Amino acid sequence: MAPTPPERTESVLTRSPSLAPLLARGAVLSPFRRPDPAAAHPRTRLVLPGLRPDPAGLAAYAKVCGFPAAADTLPVTYPHVLGFPLAMRLMSARDFPLPLLGLVHTSISVTRHRATPSAAFYDLAVHVDGLAPHRRGTEAAVVTELRSGDELVWESRSTYLARHRTTRSQASERTGDPELPAVEEWQLPGDLGRRYGSASGDRNPIHLHPLTARLFGFPRAIAHGMWTVARCLAAHGVPDAAEVRAEFRAPVLLPGTVTYAADGGRFALRGGSGRVHLTGEVNPL
């Protein structure tokens, strides 16, 4: 019989953590991590109450992702940006078993229960929901929640993969996707990663410059996965109450050309050779 996991504790913050020292700490600790789906993980739920989105930061984010500049509602992906520093605090902590360096964002699901006004105050909470085996390693799930008073208005679940040797089959678990019709072609500049990093705070070196990206095995800088899904959703449109799912399949090299494709609630981002970078779906609630 498996042991009962310890109860989750709650830690209330007075301000959002600074990302730079968290990324540095995670980098230093990464070589000492031993990924294992059976490993213990942080049981702390971080809470940041009374948060009001910064108008300047929100405007910069909307601009780089293609959302309407003057909208009075938060872009559907923006609460992920608000919660990212809290997630990094958990994933850079000593009790997080996966190495932060090389961690790959593999999927995100978002449920927006109602419109989220940009001028409102919210309570933000983030916790690690658990670890799971993956055919290429170990995957961690991170849950972010946004509340207005006692009401849960937005929530997401992201999965992050630490790649390592496993005994599981390496065969693809995906089935073939029907090709969606092309809608638009986008030319992505070489500095897109730096621009999105400035707006979101996510300055992972794989996104910033070809030289730093090569240190991690990429020939050039790559676009942030969360930029690709945000840009697709800005083009697609999302109802006030909706469920969004997206799967990150392959990195987008910068500079580059991609094709946004969509049909009904489904969308995708493809490269010039037809390589699929992202697939997703929007469903009204």
Side-chain angles (χ1 to χ4, degrees), residues 13-191:
L13 308 179
T14 57
R15 59 184 177 84
S16 185
S18 176
L19 274 171
L22 296 178
L23 291 171
R25 182 174 68 181
V28 169
L29 293 176
S30 287
F32 304 100
R33 304 299 197 199
R34 297 295 179 265
D36 182 343
H41 62 273
R43 304 295 300 173
T44 302
R45 181 174 181 264
L46 297 179
V47 179
L48 181 61
L51 173 68
R52 185 179 184 181
D54 171 60
L58 179 57
Y61 178 85
K63 182 178 180 180
V64 75
C65 295
F67 289 105
D72 57 5
T73 298
L74 296 177
V76 66
T77 47
Y78 194 66
H80 174 88
V81 172
L82 298 177
F84 188 67
L86 280 69
M88 285 298 100
R89 177 159 168 171
L90 291 173
M91 291 195 287
S92 65
R94 292 186 179 276
D95 57 350
F96 186 72
L98 307 186
L100 194 59
L101 288 181
L103 207 60
V104 179
H105 197 179
T106 51
S107 73
I108 185 169
S109 61
V110 171
T111 301
R112 184 165 65 182
H113 298 280
R114 65 161 174 81
T116 49
S118 56
F121 287 89
Y122 299 99
D123 293 341
L124 183 68
V126 178
H127 68 270
V128 177
D129 199 39
L131 305 179
H134 186 278
R135 69 184 187 279
R136 293 182 177 172
T138 299
E139 210 167 47
V142 178
V143 171
T144 302
E145 298 171 332
L146 199 68
R147 284 180 165 79
S148 178
D150 294 329
E151 181 187 7
L152 179 65
V153 295
W154 184 101
E155 57 186 314
S156 75
R157 180 183 176 90
S158 283
T159 56
Y160 298 90
L161 173 66
R163 291 172 289 190
H164 59 85
R165 287 186 178 182
T166 72
T167 57
R168 294 168 63 88
S169 169
Q170 295 296 307
S172 174
E173 297 173 1
R174 297 179 182 129
T175 57
D177 293 312
E179 186 166 309
L180 302 178
V183 177
E184 296 178 332
E185 186 176 271
W186 299 333
Q187 303 288 333
L188 309 184
D191 68 344

Side-chain angles (χ1 to χ4, degrees), residues 213-225:
R214 286 186 197 122
L215 296 175
F216 298 92
F218 297 100
R220 304 197 300 273
I222 65 172
H224 292 72

Side-chain angles (χ1 to χ4, degrees), residues 186-266:
W186 299 333
Q187 303 288 333
L188 309 184
D191 68 344
L192 177 60
R194 294 190 291 276
R195 289 169 51 204
Y196 181 82
S198 177
S200 67
D202 183 358
R203 293 182 173 87
N204 187 316
I206 63 175
H207 304 301
L208 303 182
H209 193 276
L211 292 178
T212 53
R214 286 186 197 122
L215 296 175
F216 298 92
F218 297 100
R220 304 197 300 273
I222 65 172
H224 292 72
M226 282 306 298
W227 179 88
T228 64
V229 70
R231 183 66 187 89
C232 286
L233 292 174
H236 188 282
V238 181
D240 285 344
E243 197 172 63
V244 174
R245 293 188 179 92
E247 181 180 0
F248 305 108
R249 295 198 170 187
V252 176
L253 297 176
L254 300 173
T257 302
V258 293
T259 298
Y260 164 68
D263 183 28
R266 294 177 303 147

